């Protein structure tokens, strides 16, 4: 995979705290015509709802968006001036956040231009295209919209979680109208009380309003709120229903259509169950009102649409590892007492994203675990997938600069460029498929959550990572065709150590310790390996009879920059193996004291000197904290009214894509 994509440009542009990236869809060309066509219909369905999130985020967002779109498209004055550029930056931020509040902090941001200049922009654009309400003059319109855009106090925060306030009244989202937090809570406590063990997700697909002292839901369905967009979604979903890959997919999509048509949340549950049972299809869609983070009380779901295809390569890779689960268990360095006799690999899935819309775009998740309803998860399980090509693009986009800064020499840089993404994937597969599934707890000892308590999850991640690190250099992986050579192994392990001892510290604030389990585990392993590999320790550890003079991992300072350079991969593997053995013992026996000692000693504290250095070196690279993506474009080729092929292309410009979407998918009224 890495080689053929060398020429693809993963980065596009940067503004304020945001970087725009691009991703590819490997494997799309190899789909059958039927699959491509299905993907295309679902792609249109996903994008058709893309404006819903704007209105959900804030009731004036669509009006603002249409205004900004119109100016960018039609402003006839100087488009090269600094002021115009500042206006453009504001517009791009609005597009990125699906509204005028920051996508992550949910705080309102305002443009770096004067109100006079904004007026000038409006008056020198295509004034017929602005979203005036009936009988409104352009002057009145300007007054109204300037107030909303420029006053930082007006609707300052989209989601307010500060429980000292009325979180409903102080949140600017468009989920409630005329209601206090108390009224909303009372409304739902009455409904939810007389509940079954299969509760529907109350409030997931509606706006709650109080009109004439009566509380009612404005449901997002055909004939209800967002109807024009929902009708389009249904139009494309129904086309998809006609060419599904099998019956279970057809059943799922039909349920989804019925849900969108009626707004009946029971049908949404039925759809989710049907969707869970559809495991064989190559093409898949996540569609609906899904995540509830935008509502401080967690009822209302944001619209999102994600179309994907199965990552065939990754699926094969995972199967090869999973099929050999018992071999990995039998050959593991852990104590025989703790080995499983019947080891089955855990199933992990990787998908390739074709398009994302709504809440999932331009800023995107890298993993999905759905559905959200707890009773469905308990009874029917969930689909948990990694967005493979998105993760890959993230990695490619940031890595060049980071590699040049944090790799010791050109050899290490080249190795990382060539093999690190592949080795990373194999590491993740081994971690998920073999690592978490291996080993067993001694009879009578409780679960790690009971015995290791607050250290349980860091220890469990450590265990899974060590399994991956121990097996990465094993000949078995070459035999299975998963890794091409030992250079790839080196690249994977070097990346791990670089990250564990240095890079990941950039996310920690000065003065803070490491709290997050995965970060603790990475530092624990790297630091432990570094310490145990110091030349003075080696004879103590009884690892070998040979006299050892050099460190396994050497700390080298060059031009006042610190590097951790791996000098002996063979020995490092032995160290990983010994540590795995101990971590498995801790898990199997529930040794809380030892778990606590290891994590507190190696995983929690930050080396302040290194921390400062990493932060400084990182800051120089100017990498944006938030990143999002331009989507690929699918274009069907028709002959005699029938689709005969679907082409995929990869636009390079964010503004162009946003204007193209505005042209094609502006279905909603701007006053909901
Ligand atoms: Zn894990």
């Amino acid at each position: 995979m890495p080689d053929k994509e060398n020429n693809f440009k993963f980065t596009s542009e940067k503004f304020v705290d945001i970087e725009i990236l691009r991703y590819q869809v490997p494997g799309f060309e190899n789909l059958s015509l039927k699959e491509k066509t299905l993907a295309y219909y679902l792609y249109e369905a996903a994008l058709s709802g893309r404006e819903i999130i704007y209105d959900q985020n804030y009731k004036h967002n669509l009006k603002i968006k249409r205004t900004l779109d119109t100016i960018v498209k039609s402003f006839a004055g100087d488009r090269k001036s600094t002021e115009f550029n500042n206006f453009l930056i504001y517009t791009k931020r609005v597009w990125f956040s699906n509204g005028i509040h920051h996508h992550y902090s949910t705080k309102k941001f305002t443009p770096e231009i004067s109100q006079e200049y904004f007026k000038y922009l409006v008056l020198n654009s295509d004034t017929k295209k602005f979203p005036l309400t009936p009988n409104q003059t352009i002057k009145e319109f300007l007054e109204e919209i300037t107030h909303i855009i420029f006053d930082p106090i007006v609707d300052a925060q989209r989601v307010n979680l500060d429980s000292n306030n009325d979180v409903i009244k102080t949140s600017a989202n468009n989920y409630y109208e005329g209601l206090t937090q108390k009224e909303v809570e009372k409304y739902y406590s009455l409904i939810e009380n007389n509940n079954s063990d299969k509760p529907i997700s109350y409030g997931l697909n509606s706006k709650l309003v109080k009109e004439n002292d009566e509380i009612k839901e404005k449901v997002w369905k055909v004939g209800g709120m967002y109807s024009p967009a929902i009708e389009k979604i249904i139009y494309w979903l129904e086309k998809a229903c006609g060419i599904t890959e099998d019956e279970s997919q057809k059943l799922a999509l039909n349920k989804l259509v019925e849900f969108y048509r009626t707004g009946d949340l029971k049908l949404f549950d039925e759809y989710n169950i049907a969707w869970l049972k559809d495991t064989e299809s190559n093409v898949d869609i996540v569609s609906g009102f899904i995540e509830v983070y935008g509502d401080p009380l967690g009822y209302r779901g944001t619209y999102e649409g994600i179309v994907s295809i199965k990552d065939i390569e990754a699926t094969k890779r995972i199967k090869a590892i999973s099929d050999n689960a018992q071999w990995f268990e039998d050959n593991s360095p852990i104590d025989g007492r703790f080995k499983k006799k019947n080891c089955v690999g855990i199933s992990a899935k990787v998908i390739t994203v074709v398009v994302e819309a709504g809440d999932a775009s331009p800023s995107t998740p890298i993993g999905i675990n759905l559905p959200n309803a707890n009773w469905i998860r308990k009874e029917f399980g969930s689909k948990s997938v990694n967005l493979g090509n998105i993760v890959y693009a993230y990695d490619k986009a940031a890595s060049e600069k980071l590699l040049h800064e944090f790799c010791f020499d050109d050899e290490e840089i080249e190795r990382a460029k060539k093999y690190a993404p592949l080795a990373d994937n194999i590491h993740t597969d081994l971690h998920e498929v073999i690592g978490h599934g291996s080993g067993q707890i001694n009879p009578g000892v409780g679960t790690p959550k009971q015995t290791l308590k607050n250290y349980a999850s860091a220890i469990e991640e450590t265990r899974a990572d060590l399994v991956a690190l121990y097996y990465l250099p094993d000949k078995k992986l070459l035999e299975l065709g998963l890794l091409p050579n030992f250079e790839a192994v080196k690249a994977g392990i070097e990346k791990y150590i670089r990250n564990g001892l240095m890079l990941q510290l950039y996310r920690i604030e000065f003065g803070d310790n490491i709290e997050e389990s995965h970060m603790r585990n990475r530092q624990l392993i790297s630091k432990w390996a570094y310490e145990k590999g110091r030349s003075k320790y080696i004879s103590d550890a009884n690892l070998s009879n040979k006299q050892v003079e050099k460190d396994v991992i050497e700390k080298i300072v060059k031009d006042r920059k610190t590097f951790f350079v791996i000098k002996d991969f063979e020995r490092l593997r032995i160290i990983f193996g010994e540590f795995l053995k101990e971590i498995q013992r801790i898990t199997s026996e529930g040794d809380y004291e030892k778990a606590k000692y290891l994590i507190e000693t190696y995983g929690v504290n930050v080396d302040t000197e290194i921390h400062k250095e990493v932060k400084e070196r990182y800051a120089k690279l100017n990498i944006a904290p938030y990143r999002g993506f331009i989507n690929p474009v699918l274009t069907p080729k028709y002959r005699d009214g029938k689709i005969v092929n679907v082409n995929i292309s990869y636009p390079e410009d964010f503004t162009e894509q946003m204007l193209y979407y505005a042209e094609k998918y502006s279905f909603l009224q701007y006053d909901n």
Side-chain angles (χ1 to χ4, degrees):
M1 187 154 98
D3 287 328
K4 69 170 195 245
E5 285 164 27
N6 266 348
N7 298 325
F8 187 79
K9 212 168 151 281
F10 287 90
T11 53
S12 173
E13 66 173 311
K14 222 159 45 178
F15 44 90
V16 199
D17 56 353
I18 289 159
E19 183 166 22
I20 301 291
L21 309 178
R22 307 165 66 223
Y23 63 95
Q24 282 182 302
V25 189
F28 187 85
E29 264 94 7
N30 303 330
L31 296 177
S32 68
L33 174 61
K34 194 178 158 190
E35 288 168 325
K36 280 184 190 173
T37 308
L38 178 60
Y40 169 67
Y41 290 154
L42 296 176
Y43 160 99
E44 291 288 359
L47 286 169
S48 292
R50 75 178 300 279
E51 275 200 340
I52 293 174
I53 181 76
Y54 279 84
D55 194 72
Q56 290 180 311
N57 281 343
Y58 180 48
K59 67 175 171 187
H60 301 302
N61 269 343
L62 279 179
K63 191 172 245 183
I64 294 167
K65 175 182 182 287
R66 299 287 165 76
T67 304
L68 301 177
D69 288 350
T70 301
I71 296 172
V72 177
K73 245 185 280 180
S74 66
F75 173 62
D78 180 6
R79 298 174 74 101
K80 296 234 148 65
S81 71
T82 312
E83 282 165 307
F84 188 77
N85 188 50
N86 286 346
F87 161 76
L88 215 48
I89 288 172
Y90 174 73
T91 303
K92 287 191 243 185
R93 294 184 76 187
V94 172
W95 287 332
F96 189 87
S97 289
N98 295 310
I100 63 168
H101 301 88
H102 192 278
H103 77 287
Y104 192 78
S105 75
T106 82
K107 290 193 172 72
K108 181 174 179 174
F109 52 86
T110 52
E112 303 274 314
I113 54 171
S114 67
Q115 298 190 19
E116 288 68 48
Y117 182 69
F118 182 71
K119 187 174 161 191
Y120 169 78
L121 286 173
V122 169
L123 296 177
N124 286 280
S125 299
D126 188 352
T127 46
K128 290 187 298 295
K129 293 273 168 64
F130 287 114
L132 277 60
T133 39
N135 302 324
Q136 199 177 30
T137 65
I138 192 86
K139 200 171 161 240
E140 287 162 346
F141 165 75
L142 251 169
E143 218 160 90
E144 181 199 355
I145 200 146
T146 307
H147 178 63
I148 314 169
I149 290 177
F150 284 87
D151 191 335
I153 309 293
V154 175
D155 302 321
Q157 182 135 25
R158 174 160 62 79
V159 187
N160 183 16
L161 294 171
D162 181 355
S163 54
N164 294 317
N165 300 314
D166 181 320
V167 296
I168 294 300
K169 280 203 147 354
T170 54
S171 293
N173 63 48
N174 189 25
Y175 293 135
Y176 302 92
E177 195 88 54
L179 285 147
T180 64
Q181 182 178 350
K182 279 218 173 73
E183 286 171 312
V184 176
E185 282 166 349
K186 192 177 156 206
Y187 179 82
Y188 283 107
S189 73
L190 289 176
I191 299 177
E192 286 168 340
N193 268 345
N194 41 29
N195 228 334
S196 72
D197 55 344
K198 292 175 182 174
I200 59 164
S201 306
Y202 291 103
L204 191 70
N205 65 335
S206 67
K207 177 176 178 176
L208 196 67
V209 297
K210 191 165 141 187
E211 283 169 1
N212 308 322
D213 254 4
E214 198 193 330
I215 299 178
K216 57 181 177 195
E217 296 193 51
K218 287 185 161 179
V219 179
W220 307 329
K221 61 172 186 173
V222 172
M225 210 169 152
Y226 304 143
S227 188
I230 290 173
E231 286 164 45
K232 296 284 182 189
I233 296 173
I234 290 176
Y235 171 83
W236 290 107
L237 286 179
E238 283 187 324
K239 278 185 155 307
C241 285
I243 54 157
T244 50
E245 294 173 64
D246 58 25
E247 283 306 309
S248 67
Q249 186 177 40
K250 187 178 199 150
L251 179 73
L253 287 179
N254 273 322
K255 293 268 182 203
L256 182 61
V257 166
E258 279 319 297
F259 162 66
Y260 273 126
R261 200 188 302 284
T262 61
D264 180 351
L265 284 166
K266 252 206 176 80
L267 283 171
F268 188 60
D269 285 347
E270 287 175 24
Y271 155 66
N272 275 312
I273 293 164
W275 177 72
L276 280 174
K277 289 180 179 165
D278 171 21
T279 51
E280 295 303 310
S281 310
N282 270 331
V283 183
D284 199 6
I285 185 169
V286 169
S287 174
F289 306 106
I290 314 270
E291 301 296 347
V292 294
Y293 305 111
D295 175 357
L297 294 181
Y299 288 105
R300 266 94 211 144
T302 43
Y303 171 79
E304 77 177 56
I306 301 176
V307 180
S308 65
I309 56 177
K310 217 179 241 171
D311 183 335
I312 304 288
E313 282 306 307
T315 307
K316 272 193 220 152
R317 217 169 59 208
I318 287 165
K319 189 173 181 308
I321 293 174
S322 182
D323 286 349
N324 286 282
Q326 192 62 51
W327 184 91
F328 286 107
E329 187 77 351
D330 293 344
N331 290 278
S332 160
I334 64 175
D335 205 310
R337 292 176 295 154
F338 308 136
K339 286 188 184 180
K340 269 189 187 154
K341 304 288 167 287
N342 290 303
C343 202
V344 187
I346 292 172
S347 83
K349 288 195 185 71
V350 182
I351 56 169
T352 302
V353 170
V354 176
V355 75
E356 297 179 297
D359 202 15
S361 181
S363 172
T364 162
I366 56 170
I368 300 173
N369 194 326
L370 289 173
N372 284 330
N374 275 325
W375 73 267
I376 300 179
R377 296 172 74 90
K378 229 184 257 165
E379 209 166 305
F380 298 93
S382 63
K383 272 190 198 174
S384 173
V385 291
N386 291 326
L387 279 52
N389 56 335
I390 296 286
V391 173
Y392 184 79
Y394 266 136
D395 206 56
K396 287 296 260 189
S399 63
E400 292 269 304
K401 281 186 198 168
L402 288 172
L403 293 181
H404 283 275
E405 181 60 39
F406 289 97
C407 289
F408 180 63
D409 55 20
D410 290 346
E411 250 177 72
E412 193 180 326
I413 295 172
E414 280 314 305
R415 224 175 1 248
K417 272 195 205 162
K418 216 163 167 184
Y419 298 116
L422 173 67
D424 231 18
N425 282 336
I426 303 292
H427 177 102
T428 306
D429 296 344
L430 288 167
H431 173 114
E432 299 289 349
V433 181
I434 303 297
H436 283 307
S438 72
Q440 59 186 3
I441 310 283
N442 271 3
V445 174
T447 64
K449 229 185 178 140
Q450 292 164 329
T451 57
L452 306 178
K453 301 183 182 118
N454 51 322
Y455 300 111
S457 83
I459 288 289
E460 177 57 17
E461 293 309 324
T462 303
R463 208 173 64 86
D465 258 358
L466 281 168
V467 170
L469 289 165
Y470 179 78
Y471 277 117
L472 214 49
D474 202 290
K475 285 199 303 287
K476 186 79 177 175
L477 298 195
L478 297 178
E479 278 169 28
L480 291 173
L482 296 171
L483 286 175
N485 52 41
F486 200 72
E487 285 296 290
V489 174
K490 284 182 173 177
I493 295 176
E494 281 168 339
K495 184 177 174 190
Y496 192 90
I497 296 294
R498 253 193 334 264
N499 190 38
L501 287 175
M502 299 197 73
L503 261 176
Q504 69 167 1
L505 294 176
Y506 90 91
R507 290 200 249 165
I508 304 286
E509 296 298 322
F510 287 120
D512 286 358
N513 284 328
I514 301 178
E515 300 292 343
E516 202 274 326
S517 298
H518 293 85
M519 291 181 75
R520 283 183 167 188
N521 123 55
R522 288 181 206 124
Q523 179 169 297
L524 166 61
I525 291 175
S526 309
K527 242 187 181 159
W528 200 87
Y530 170 69
E531 291 290 340
K532 297 298 156 189
R534 302 286 291 276
S535 51
K536 60 177 170 132
Y537 279 103
I538 288 198
S539 50
D540 306 345
N542 228 354
L543 294 176
S544 156
N545 302 324
K546 268 187 267 168
Q547 185 63 39
V548 182
E549 278 139 20
K550 60 180 183 184
D551 292 346
V552 171
I553 301 171
E554 195 183 342
K555 181 177 175 179
I556 300 177
V557 179
K558 190 175 74 177
D559 305 329
R560 280 186 285 159
K561 288 178 181 176
T562 310
F563 300 89
F564 289 93
V565 187
I566 300 172
K567 295 287 189 181
D568 191 338
F569 283 90
E570 230 170 283
R571 253 171 224 293
L572 185 55
R573 187 181 186 205
I574 296 170
I575 292 173
F576 287 148
E578 296 234 315
F579 201 29
L580 172 57
K581 190 175 172 195
E582 175 61 359
I583 294 290
Q584 181 61 53
R585 185 199 62 76
I586 291 170
T587 306
S588 296
E589 296 179 349
D591 187 345
Y592 174 80
E593 286 307 321
K594 190 65 187 290
K596 179 181 173 184
Y597 164 77
L598 285 174
I599 290 173
E600 292 293 342
T601 311
Y602 297 98
V604 174
N605 295 316
V606 177
D607 178 328
T608 47
E609 287 298 303
I610 296 282
H611 189 200
K612 192 162 160 268
E613 185 188 321
V614 169
K615 287 276 222 189
E616 278 166 12
R617 285 164 72 181
Y618 214 93
K620 268 196 322 209
L621 302 180
N622 198 19
I623 292 171
Y626 304 105
R627 298 183 287 171
F629 288 91
I630 296 172
N631 283 306
V633 170
L634 298 190
T635 317
K637 263 181 87 171
Y638 289 92
R639 197 177 299 141
D640 306 326
K642 268 182 142 177
I643 293 180
V644 290
N645 198 5
V646 179
N647 287 326
I648 188 160
S649 58
Y650 303 101
E652 294 180 18
D653 189 81
F654 183 54
T655 301
E656 259 170 48
Q657 175 147 85
M658 290 299 113
L659 292 181
Y660 168 73
Y661 283 165
E663 197 72 43
K664 241 186 125 180
Y665 304 105
S666 293
F667 300 127
L668 294 177
Q669 295 299 312
Y670 41 81
D671 270 324
N672 282 296

